[in-house]
Every structure is written in structure tokens, then in C-alpha cells.
Amino acid sequence: MSYTAKVLERAIKNNPNEPEFHQAVTEILTTLAPYADSRPQYEKAGILERLVEPERVIMFRVPWVDDNGMTRVNKGYRVQFSSVIGPYKGGLRFHPSVSLSIIKFLGFEQIFKNSLTGQPIGGGKGGSDFDPKGKSDREVMAFCQSFMTELCRHIGADTDVPAGDIGVGAREIGFLYGQYRRLANTVGGVLTGKGLSYGGSLVRTEATGYGLVYLMDEMLRRHNKTFEGKTVVISGSGNVAIYAAQKAGELGAKVVALSDSGGYIYDAEGIDLDAVKEIKEVNRARIGQYTNYRPNAVYTKGSGIWNIKCDIALPCATQNELSESDAEALVKNGCIAVGEGANMPSTLEATEVFLRNKVLFAPGKAANAGGVATSALEMSQNSMRMAWPFEEVDRKLKEIMVNIYNNIDEAAKEAGQEDNFVVGANIAGFKKVAEAMLAQGVV
Ligand code: NDP
């Protein structure tokens, strides 16, 4: 049995009941196989065995009191996966579906994503099964303060720097940061995604969505195509989806659909983003309300967004939201490119469909790396006690995304698999991490 196959088998056996983690490890180890199996120094140094085992897993109780005076308890997690190239870095997710398996899959992917940005950041991820939806601001604050009361002893500007993810936006980061500052009696870059008035970076809010479109734009251009005049379908209507839609529109595309966990909207004339921002960012309401703003738009309950005909699809909601049959529907309708704004939104089978049909496919760890890359720029500004202008951060973000494209393209070609950016991203991300591990000895 090959080295990668042995590690994969053991990782699955040793981590039972963690399907999402199994899926992420399977995807990475399978595509890395020809590369890693032909380099015996990796097996000798146990590189893959060490990589699939987090450096540290922290699980904790988060008690808080709701508006009725009742005590509630949630689970808290921080998985510190790898600090071999820099401090652990990765978001916090607050969503009822959060489990150890989901946090481990996200933390594992984060190692390779952060490596791809070219910045000195390691991989980590955290979160809670707390659901901010429907909670008052006071309840969210009480939860965040309790969560940070435990987390604060494990993080630090040079140790572990969390950020936002699903359910953790500007409001939550503000409450978390305030509590950290109070408990640690220190200010600085311990969290990213901070407000502009207390150390945040311009462009961080837009970074993941903009970065996704910058990378896809580069990929399309290298294949003699552009966003101009294309029809785009985007799932989700949160931070990533909104700013991907904005940038795609600026580049001349027409975004016709967005969704949330309740259903999706279709607006043949092109989505009115001001309306979406008011619904989602101001009112924290459901996407279905869009038809109050644009009566000609159609709201459909449930999933099904991938049946809408489009040239470019950008899944920006959550893991495994795009199945094999969704991928087949997209291909049948003439979709030429798919860029993953979310983490692992396509199932393994869906990814296969895209690759088999020569759809230009950018996996999440490359396509959505703009968020964490800009978080690293926020860390740099915090260390220097400076704030760069919007244009400067945006230019750096664009440069980083073009570099990522170049690296994954080159790695795919070197592996003899031109245009297979899954292979390209995994090898390019892995190489740097493996070299750093070899250099640092058995730790
Ligand atoms: P938000 O919380 O801002 O938005 C998430 C969106 O996805 C909402 O529209 C939400 O709908 C929808 N969604 C969430 N869970 C589900 C589900 N189970 N089924 C259907 N729809 C769902 O999160 P972000 O935009 O920040 O994150 C979206 C994705 O992008 C995630 O995979 C995240 O890991 C990834 N990502 C985010 C980065 C960032 O900088 N924010 C960076 C890199 C990746 P509803 O409101 O109904 O729950």
C-alpha cells in the first residue's frame, strides 16, 4: 500500500464519526499521492501523519444567560492545526451545525490555504454550535464574552489569531475583541476583521468575495475569457456572496441569483445589491424579502439554485452545498467556470464532474484565500501601528490572488495535469508546509 493510502486509512480509522474531516483529508491525500509517494523523505519524517493530527484541540463549555434569565450552554472549539509557517490563523464559525468534524476539516484545509497566500500564517479554526440568528444583541454579547473568557488563554497576536466565518461578522468580532482586551489587558492584532475604529483593515470586509473574483478573472483571462457579459449564479447571501456579487458586477457580469438556507431568489434583470445589503447586513432578515424590493424577482423555497442557467457559478454558502447532480445540471446548462467562495462547497463527486467536463474549477483553498490574506495584512498593519489606504490593500489583495493563480497553475502543469487546479492547489500549498516541517525537525 502506498504511503498516502496508509496515512489516509489510518486517519479515517483513528478519527471515527468525523465525515467532513474524512472528506477533506481524502481529497488532499488522494490528489497529493503521486507527488508525496515519490519522495521517500516525507514518509521517513512522518510528514503526512503529523499533518493530519492537529497540534492541539481545545474544547470547552460556553455558559451564558438568555433574555429570559435562563442559563444556556453551548460547545466551544479551537483547533490549532499547524503553526509550522506562522501563528495559527483561521476563522470562528457560529452555527448550530458546528461539530468537531467540521472545525477539523476547516482547520486542515486552512493549513494549505494559508500557505498558498505566501504569507507567514499557520492553520487553525474554531467556533461554536451557538446560533446568532434570532438572538438579541445582548444575548450575542453575553455569548461572545463567555466564549472569549475561555479562548483568551489560548490565543495571542503571535500565537493564534482568529477571525470571522459563518455567523461571526463585525458585531461578534467587536464583542469578542472587547472581552479579550479586558481580560488580557492588551490591545493589538489578536483578532482580525476588527472595526476600522479599533485596528481593522480597509478591504477586510470585501476581501474574500473580491479575492474570489480576482482569481476567477485571472483564470478566465488566461483562457481567453472574461466576466464581461457573463451570467453568474452565487449561493449564499452573506459576507462572501455579497462582495463577490459586487466585484463580478463591476467587471461587467450580471449576477441573477443569491440564496440563504431558506431558499433562493432569481432576478433576470440582475440582482439589486443595495436591496440585499439592506435585508442581510442592516435588517438581518431572510433573502425571500427581496421580492418586496423587486416585485419581478422570483423567490423559491429550498435548494435548487444550481438549476439556474449560468456561465459562471460561485458557491459561497457552506460545505457540501453542491452535489453531483447539481454539478451535472450546471454542466448541462453550459457553465464554463466554478469558483468556490465557501470552504468545500462541492462534494468530491461534484468536483469530479467539473474536472471531467473541463469546467474551469477553482477549489476553495485557492479561490477564497483572499479573506485570510487580507487578515494577514491587517496583522501587519497592527504590528506596524499603521493603516493603509483602501487602494493599497486592494492592490495587494489582487497581487496575492494573481500569485496564487500562477502558483497553482504552475504546480498543476508540473504534475502533468494542466488546468487541474485541485491538484495544483494541493501540491503548491503542501510543498511549503512540508519543507518547513523537514527543516524544523520532529516536532
Ligand atoms: P455568512 O454567515 O456571512 O453567510 C453565510 C451564508 O451562507 C448565508 O447566506 C447563510 O444563510 C448561508 N448558509 C450557511 N449555512 C448554510 C446551510 N447549511 N445551508 C444553506 N445555506 C447556508 O458567512 P460567510 O459569507 O463569511 O461564509 C460563507 C462561506 O465562505 C463559508 O463556507 C466560509 O467558511 C467561507 N469563507 C469565509 C471567509 C470570510 O472571510 N468570511 C473566508 C474564507 C471562506 P442563512 O443566513 O440562512 O444561514
Side-chain angles (χ1 to χ4, degrees):
M1 194 188 265
S2 70
Y3 174 45
T4 44
K6 272 189 292 194
V7 177
L8 178 59
E9 189 181 270
R10 216 174 69 175
I12 291 175
K13 185 165 154 269
N14 289 353
N15 298 281
N17 307 317
E18 296 183 3
E20 294 85 3
F21 180 57
H22 295 174
Q23 184 180 339
V25 174
T26 303
E27 189 245 298
I28 288 183
L29 292 190
T30 315
T31 51
L32 275 182
Y35 182 82
D37 290 336
S38 59
R39 289 167 174 75
Q41 68 271 31
Y42 291 153
E43 181 164 12
K44 181 155 185 272
I47 296 290
L48 294 176
E49 292 88 333
R50 285 193 275 151
L51 257 183
V52 300
E53 199 62 59
E55 287 174 15
R56 198 171 295 107
V57 175
I58 301 147
M59 289 176 64
F60 50 99
R61 177 173 71 198
V62 190
W64 57 281
V65 177
D66 71 15
D67 284 348
N68 298 319
M70 295 298 290
T71 299
R72 307 267 206 111
V73 179
N74 287 95
K75 283 179 184 292
Y77 304 88
R78 186 71 184 165
V79 175
Q80 298 180 329
F81 232 109
S82 169
S83 58
V84 72
I85 61 172
Y88 309 108
K89 182 92 197 83
L92 298 171
R93 176 177 291 190
F94 293 170
H95 192 271
S97 66
V98 163
S99 63
L100 183 59
S101 172
I102 286 185
I103 299 298
K104 279 178 70 180
F105 115 65
L106 290 164
F108 185 62
E109 290 256 314
Q110 196 85 41
I111 306 172
F112 305 94
K113 178 190 309 192
N114 293 4
S115 164
L116 280 174
T117 66
Q119 292 156 308
I121 39 178
K125 198 83 189 188
S128 173
D129 58 358
F130 173 76
D131 187 357
K133 259 191 235 122
K135 305 287 191 302
S136 69
D137 285 351
R138 194 211 62 80
E139 288 177 320
V140 172
M141 181 173 75
F143 173 81
C144 288
Q145 290 181 340
S146 180
F147 185 86
M148 184 52 85
T149 301
E150 173 59 34
L151 188 69
C152 76
R153 68 189 91 208
H154 308 288
I155 62 175
D158 291 315
T159 309
D160 183 352
V161 184
D165 190 77
I166 292 178
V168 178
R171 174 183 61 171
E172 290 75 17
I173 292 289
F175 292 147
L176 290 162
Y177 180 77
Q179 183 74 348
Y180 178 85
R181 188 175 55 75
R182 185 181 191 193
L183 293 169
N185 193 25
T186 180
V187 296
V190 72
L191 286 164
T192 57
K194 299 186 289 299
L196 294 176
S197 58
Y198 61 95
S201 172
L202 285 162
V203 193
R204 179 59 189 92
T205 304
E206 298 85 355
T208 308
Y210 277 20
L212 167 66
V213 174
Y214 289 151
L215 184 125
M216 294 309 291
D217 187 44
E218 189 63 22
M219 185 178 279
L220 289 167
R221 284 175 186 283
R222 300 288 189 93
H223 292 82
N224 301 318
K225 300 172 171 65
T226 63
F227 269 100
E228 183 70 44
K230 299 289 188 304
T231 299
V232 179
V233 166
I234 302 181
S235 63
S237 48
N239 173 264
V240 181
I242 287 177
Y243 292 96
Q246 184 166 310
K247 188 51 76 178
E250 282 173 24
L251 296 187
K254 184 162 77 168
V255 178
V256 295
L258 286 175
S259 66
D260 63 18
S261 54
Y264 61 94
I265 48 164
Y266 173 71
D267 188 339
E269 290 160 28
I271 297 282
D272 173 354
L273 268 186
D274 289 337
V276 174
K277 285 185 185 175
E278 189 169 310
I279 296 165
K280 288 306 210 180
E281 293 184 340
V282 181
N283 301 337
R284 297 181 187 280
R286 312 306 299 156
I287 199 68
Q289 293 196 359
Y290 183 82
T291 51
N292 298 338
Y293 295 76
R294 301 267 287 212
N296 288 340
V298 182
Y299 174 67
T300 309
K301 277 192 186 155
S303 52
I305 189 169
W306 306 121
N307 292 317
I308 299 173
K309 186 173 165 49
C310 65
D311 303 304
I312 299 169
L314 304 175
C316 295
T318 194
Q319 66 276 352
N320 292 328
E321 54 159 311
L322 199 160
S323 68
E324 184 174 16
S325 56
D326 294 329
E328 279 161 355
L330 283 167
V331 170
K332 193 164 142 256
N333 284 330
C335 176
I336 56 163
V338 175
E340 295 190 324
N343 286 307
M344 209 168 77
S346 314
T347 62
L348 292 171
E349 295 77 18
T351 304
E352 276 307 311
V353 171
F354 294 136
L355 294 177
R356 218 174 29 243
N357 288 281
K358 306 277 179 237
V359 172
L360 293 173
F361 176 74
K365 65 175 78 61
N368 68 37
V372 74
T374 307
S375 277
L377 298 177
E378 181 174 331
M379 289 163 72
S380 303
Q381 293 170 80
N382 291 158
S383 302
M384 293 192 291
R385 305 207 187 287
M386 282 181 73
W388 297 327
F390 190 97
E391 294 69 27
E392 187 171 348
V393 184
D394 192 35
R395 182 177 51 73
K396 286 184 160 70
L397 168 64
K398 199 169 183 178
E399 261 172 38
I400 290 168
M401 299 315 294
V402 170
N403 267 336
I404 293 178
Y405 178 77
N406 288 335
N407 289 339
I408 64 175
D409 182 41
E410 197 180 302
K413 284 180 181 147
E414 271 175 21
Q417 301 216 43
E418 187 165 352
D419 286 350
N420 183 333
F421 301 106
V422 176
V423 166
N426 288 343
I427 294 180
F430 169 73
K431 245 174 158 173
K432 182 170 153 195
V433 173
E435 275 163 29
M437 290 176 79
L438 285 173
Q440 292 178 30
V442 182
V443 288

